[in-house]
Amino acid sequence: ETTYRDTRNQQTPIGELDNTEINTNTLIAGVSYAGERGYVGASFDQFNTDYGIPGGFIGGHPNGADIDILRRVFDANASYKFEGESLDRLEASFARTHYHHFEFESNGNIGAEFLFHDYRGDLSLHVGPGDGRSKTILGASLSHYELELGAFVFTPPTSQLSGTLSAYHEASRERFELQVAGRYAFSFLNPRDSERAREGSGDLDRNFHGWSAAVSPLVSISDRLAAGFSVSRSERIPTIEELYNEGPHLAAYTFEVGDATLRSERSFGLEAFLHYRNQGIDLLATGFWSEYANFLTPRNTGDINFALLLPIYAIDGVDARFLGSEFRLATRPADRLLAEIGVSYIHAENR
């Protein structure tokens, strides 16, 4: 499959908006083989786009910027179904991603360049007879990520080795269902040739270990009404950019600075839902509450990088609270007609 898209500058009520053209082409190819007990397949996906970002207004680049992105992904998947009752099936996947990103200033100079290669493998073992009453999934993943940046971006080239071990179990009895999940994650980051390290910032290598868990009971109150809630504790390891960034992001018109001393982002959350189904009507109401310790977010420092005249945004960890709700209604007034409406609300604040 291949696609091509070419659009000119957008038209507004007050005239043409310069530097909003987009040129995109894609190429996708795949092959697979399916047997009695499983399958194996592979695919290739290429995405290439050039687009402009308008400028000349507050919060934007004075003269706009141009973005050039090339992404290539090779993906392979396989599955094997066991004959016994204790083991259901084994699934494996591998993906290699190449991503190259340029941000050009209006004079044609390269303001920022991003290049990364990502290699990731996943294994999941499905345990149990597959009778619909209980299911267990054991998972493991390993990835190697290489990031390099150029032009006016001074983030050091960095390699990252990450992995996870996970387990998920669900069991149902009559009108009750219980879902439980847990995950352990690690990440080892190694920045190379760092100017900040040579200037006395010390060893910038970072090692992280974190865990997440969740439990969710669900109950069918009647044939039409179901309810449930979940309790979760999660931990997110900082990204390379959050730890080591030091350079412009022209697309956002900011100069971004990371913090190599960051701790992992941690959160505790509660969520509850009510689901009603009747002939021609599907109503879902959900509410959630999340408390974050060390919520990682870029914040305006109030300073300016005078070499590039960009506002400086620095990654910071703050305590935060998120409260929200969501309502979705779907109805089918006729056999060939489906109508849906959804409303959501989120309130977030620093604590």
Side-chain angles (χ1 to χ4, degrees), residues 207-229:
N207 298 331
F208 291 92
H209 301 271
W211 64 274
S212 303
V215 58
S216 178
L218 303 93
V219 60
S220 296
I221 301 173
S222 68
D223 294 338
R224 300 176 181 177
L225 186 63
F229 70 92

Side-chain angles (χ1 to χ4, degrees), residues 8 28 35 41 73 78 87 126 205 211 216 251 276 286 299 328:
R8 303 305 178 189
I28 302 173
V73 179
L87 298 179
H126 295 245
D205 290 1
W211 64 274
S216 178
Y276 175 79
T286 305
R299 307 180 76 183
R328 181 181 63 84

Side-chain angles (χ1 to χ4, degrees), residues 293-306:
N294 201 47
F295 179 73
L296 302 180
T297 181
R299 307 180 76 183
N300 193 337
T301 64
D303 297 326
I304 299 292
N305 179 282
F306 291 101

